[in-house]
Each structure stands twice: as structure tokens, then as C-alpha cells.
Amino acid sequence: MYKIFRCLLPIRYGKLFECKIQNKRYLARTVLGIETSCDDTGAAVVDEFGNVLGEALNSQHQFHLDNGGVIPTFAKYLHRNEISKIVQSALDKSNITLKDVSAIATTVKPGLKESLLVGLNYSKSLIQDCRKPFLPIHHMEAHALVIRMIELVEFPFLVLLASGGHCQIALVQNVNKFLLLGTTIDCAPGEVLDKIARRLKVKNIPQYSHMCGGQAIEVLAKQGNPKAFEFKLPLHRYRSCNFSFSYLRSYSSQLIEKEEEKYNIVADGIIPNVSDLCASVLYILTKQFVRQVQRAIMFCKYNNLIPENRQTLVFSGGVACNEYIRSALNKLCNSMDWRFTCPPPKLCNDNGIMIAWNGMECLKAGIQGTDAKEIGIATKCPLGTDITKDVTDANIKVKLFQFDKH
Ligand code: KG4
Ligand code: ZN
């Protein structure tokens, strides 16, 4: 009860809706969030206390897995087929109607053009009917902010975002104020894991046939030797917080080819040391994350970017489901007296909840909705203000933290 009244005091505008959770009734603003940036059609309604009133998600994952990767025209077709059912289902589960929500938040950048357009156009049609404020959402910002829905993480905090399309380290100063410390200079880690898993043909092993590449590699790696195959650590000469994953992909491909020749593997066959390869891939990937985060933490420390008692690293995005990487980053943070936290896996992968929550964060910060008619999509979009050069210029030398020895 205390929580409700305390939080209701600052409400100045926006329709309050009577919500009911575990038979307790309370008044709150609510936001409907819609996500269609890649291959998940997601919708959710959240209130300002971080309660998820209702959610629905349709993943196209199996379809794209069976067809060798995300095909934009199919993604668009599947989003179109699902979106009204998913939004209606989220509203029904919430027990509210569209006229009760305070605003509609939708992912408009970055992502696949065909997919983003389905979500935006659908939201525009909803807004024409119900005349609600519209909140355009940056997909990666939503990944970064969703942690605040479930626990207290005050601004500013450091975030590592790793997904199928992105890899970024940023300082989150506010809902809409990000400083970009590092980014990938080529491809994204999730994309590379998916491609390596495809090249290894792991979906031919029934146990892994429904898993995304990253998850399959994580499970296989548990039985493997991380030192079996030696990979170089990319960008080791540069004192930046940037990432590179293209070498991991190309060298893995070469190694798989060699092993297939060695063991005379043809067609759908799988190399016998697949677990060793997965363990070695995951090890070097983690090493890169650890080193760049270590440098980012040092940059924050040297520049007093985060007050001492609140130094927190958040890890989010699909790749943040990975327990091995989480554990390594956790050990690093412990060794540097930083707090480490991650959203639960369900909120690390794409979903409508994080979009609704980002919309709610906007309302709480007094950010007004925009005219949806004026809004378009952007397939590529920077994350905040780019200070990657300042980080490189700081020339911070890192003595790599041995996460595997702690
Ligand atoms: O954030 P997300 O759901 O979608 C994008 O915005 O891209 O991330 C999807 C990515 C996929 O590439 C998938 O392989 C990866 O997250 N992923 C994982 C794990 N689970 C999902 N990567 C490593 N370990 C996992 N357990
Ligand atoms: Zn994502």
C-alpha cells in the first residue's frame, strides 16, 4: 500500500486506470508497448510500478531457423499475420481496453525495415482510432532500460548490450541520454554465434534443433574444453572499447572445414569435437567482453562518471541470456567493486514488455508523446552521443582480468 501511494503522488497527467493484481486494486498509468524490429512480434501492457499487466509474444525463430536465417519478406508477412492477435491478446490479459492506456509505445529503430514498418503502421492505425499519445522507441535503449522495471538501478549506470544485431557499451545517463563508449566495428556477437551454429549443423542434433545458435553453443560448450582451439583476441592493439567479431566467424569456419576433412564428415554429419569448438568460441567471445568492459569501467572511474556507491554494470540483449558470459562479467565486477546485474532471460530476448516499459519511463520523465503521423522508421540508428574517440584517446591499458582462474 505504501508503495502505491508514494508513487502516485507525482502523477500530474495521464489517465489513471484501476489495475488489479493479486486481488489488490490500485490506480496507475499504463502503457501498451509493441515490438516488431526483427523476428518477434511482441506486445505488453505495463503500469508505472513495473507490473506487467498482460503480454503476448509470437516468435518466428523456428521458421527462420529452418530457413537458414531471417528472411525480411517472410518476417514482414508473419508480423502482419500476428500483430493484431498479439496486441489484442496483451490487452485482454491485462483486462483493459485501448481507451484505458495512457500511451502507445512502439519500436521504430533500429531493425529490419520490413519488420519495423509493420509495427509502426499498425500503431498509427490504432492511434487514429483511440487518439492516444505515441512514444517512438529505440530498440537498444529499451534493452538497456528494462532492468529498471524489476530492480532499483539509478542513473547513471553502465550497460553492455549484446544481441543478434548489435554490441555496445554505453553510459545511461537518463531515459533518453546515452553516451556510447564502444561499439562493434563489424558484425554482432549473436549473429556470429547463429552463423557458427549453422555451419556446425547443430540443428541436426535433436536436442538442439529448436535452440537459437547462441543457446546451442552455450549448452554444447559445457562439455567442451575452452582451450582446445586457439583464437586470437581481436583488436588487442587498440585501447578502445570497440568490438570485432568477424574474425571469430571466419576462423571458426576455417577450423570446422579442417575438422570435417580430418574426420571425413560429409553432408549433414557433425564433427566429433563440436563441444570443444563451441567452448573455445564462447571462451574467446567472453574474453573480449571482459576486456572491453574492464576498460569501460576504468574509463568511468578515471572520469568520475558514476558516483562511487552506485557503480553498476547492466548486461542485456539476447546474448545476455548466456550464463557463462554473465558469470565472467560478474567476477570482473566483483573484483572492481562494481555491482553487476542482468534482466532475466525472458526480458533479455526481444519482447513487448521492454518497449512498454521504455514508454513508461518516458512518461515518468515528463516526455510527451509525439504526433505518430510525423514518425518514420530508421533501420540504423546511433545509440546516444558517440564518445568512442574520447575512450580511445584516454589510452587506457588493461591487464586482462583472468575470469577463468577466479
Ligand atoms: O536481443 P535479441 O533477442 O534480438 C536482437 O535484437 O537481435 O538477440 C538475439 C540473439 C541471437 O543471435 C541469439 O543467438 C542470441 O541472442 N542468444 C544467445 C543466447 N540466447 C540467445 N547468445 C548466447 N547465449 C545464449 N544463451
Ligand atoms: Zn533485441
Side-chain angles (χ1 to χ4, degrees):
M1 222 40 193
Y2 167 72
K3 180 183 172 192
I4 294 165
F5 282 117
R6 187 176 60 107
C7 300
L8 275 177
L9 287 176
I11 296 173
R12 276 187 215 97
Y13 65 93
K15 184 180 163 98
L16 301 186
F17 180 73
E18 191 182 75
C19 304
K20 193 176 161 193
I21 289 191
Q22 288 167 350
N23 282 330
K24 284 193 188 130
R25 291 178 181 280
Y26 59 96
L27 294 174
R29 284 176 294 179
T30 55
V31 171
L32 167 68
I34 300 177
E35 156 67 26
T36 63
S37 69
C38 186
D39 58 352
D40 291 297
T41 318
V45 179
V46 303
D47 73 10
E48 56 195 292
F49 309 120
N51 296 308
V52 178
L53 305 181
E55 56 149 330
L57 187 71
N58 179 64
S59 172
Q60 306 171 2
H61 158 76
Q62 193 63 46
F63 177 88
H64 297 300
L65 194 66
D66 294 342
N67 288 282
V70 179
I71 306 163
T73 44
F74 283 114
K76 171 180 156 183
Y77 171 79
L78 295 169
H79 280 307
R80 269 198 186 156
N81 247 358
E82 292 297 323
I83 191 154
S84 64
K85 281 181 261 174
I86 291 293
V87 170
Q88 198 50 54
S89 164
L91 287 167
D92 290 348
K93 288 178 191 162
S94 314
N95 229 347
I96 68 176
T97 63
L98 205 54
K99 76 173 174 21
D100 299 316
V101 301
S102 306
I104 297 175
T106 303
T107 310
V108 298
K109 60 190 177 187
L112 289 177
K113 180 179 158 207
E114 291 80 354
S115 299
L116 287 168
L117 276 173
V118 177
L120 179 59
N121 290 337
Y122 184 77
S123 304
K124 283 183 178 177
S125 69
L126 286 184
I127 279 158
Q128 224 173 12
D129 293 345
C130 69
R131 312 229 157 257
K132 294 289 171 184
F134 179 64
L135 298 159
I137 303 295
H138 187 300
H139 180 85
M140 298 313 289
E141 292 182 2
H143 270 306
L145 293 168
V146 70
I147 189 72
R148 286 167 43 88
M149 192 186 88
I150 44 179
E151 62 183 81
L152 182 69
V153 177
E154 285 178 66
F155 297 122
F157 62 90
L158 190 66
V159 71
L160 169 64
L161 298 170
S163 70
H166 299 88
C167 193
Q168 292 149 331
I169 303 183
L171 186 75
V172 189
Q173 295 182 304
N174 219 319
V175 186
N176 54 359
K177 214 165 161 227
F178 286 62
L179 295 181
L180 183 71
L181 274 63
T183 185
T184 174
I185 59 162
D186 39 49
C187 34
E191 169 198 354
V192 168
L193 292 175
D194 292 339
K195 285 179 174 156
I196 296 174
R198 212 173 302 139
R199 180 64 190 82
L200 282 166
K201 299 170 267 183
V202 296
K203 84 176 173 69
N204 295 336
I205 312 173
Q207 191 190 343
Y208 306 104
S209 62
H210 302 295
M211 291 183 190
C212 64
Q215 192 188 5
I217 288 178
E218 176 176 16
V219 178
L220 278 159
K222 285 187 181 145
Q223 300 128 40
N225 170 10
K227 306 279 170 68
F229 295 92
E230 207 179 317
F231 286 83
K232 280 186 277 180
L233 189 59
L235 303 179
H236 70 279
R237 283 207 210 114
Y238 299 88
R239 291 188 181 165
S240 72
C241 284
N242 291 334
F243 301 90
S244 169
F245 304 101
S246 61
Y247 156 79
L248 181 59
R249 184 190 163 194
S250 57
Y251 192 56
S252 299
S253 225
Q254 283 174 32
L255 287 173
I256 299 165
E257 209 167 306
K258 258 197 218 156
E259 295 304 296
E260 283 182 343
E261 259 174 44
K262 186 160 122 193
Y263 292 103
N264 210 6
I265 306 289
V266 286
D268 281 351
I270 293 162
I271 54 172
N273 44 358
V274 58
S275 293
D276 285 344
L277 198 118
C278 290
S280 306
V281 163
L282 191 52
Y283 174 72
I284 197 71
L285 186 77
T286 305
K287 205 165 170 177
Q288 190 178 172
F289 283 136
V290 166
R291 190 196 51 188
Q292 303 311 66
V293 166
Q294 201 179 344
R295 183 171 285 123
I297 289 179
M298 285 161 83
F299 181 81
C300 290
K301 278 191 174 175
Y302 293 162
N303 293 286
N304 289 321
L305 294 178
I306 305 182
E308 251 194 29
N309 52 347
R310 291 203 238 136
Q311 293 161 325
T312 303
L313 171 74
V314 173
F315 182 30
S316 189
V319 177
C321 295
N322 193 294
E323 288 292 340
Y324 182 83
I325 308 172
R326 282 181 184 221
S327 154
L329 291 171
N330 190 22
K331 287 179 199 164
L332 170 73
C333 286
N334 280 339
S335 78
M336 297 180 90
D337 288 329
W338 272 48
R339 179 181 157 217
F340 175 73
T341 187
C342 283
K346 183 182 158 177
L347 294 180
C348 284
N349 282 310
D350 290 352
N351 61 82
I353 298 171
M354 67 182 195
I355 307 304
W357 176 251
N358 194 153
M360 183 53 82
E361 288 261 25
C362 292
L363 289 189
K364 285 175 164 216
I367 297 166
Q368 307 285 346
T370 25
D371 182 357
K373 278 195 245 102
E374 304 292 316
I375 302 293
I377 56 126
T379 55
K380 292 204 168 102
C381 183
L383 180 70
T385 307
D386 187 342
I387 61 157
T388 55
K389 190 173 175 306
D390 297 359
V391 177
T392 312
D393 290 348
N395 201 24
I396 299 169
K397 189 173 176 198
V398 166
K399 186 172 178 296
L400 187 70
F401 174 72
Q402 304 286 315
F403 61 91
D404 50 337
K405 304 221 168 87
H406 280 74

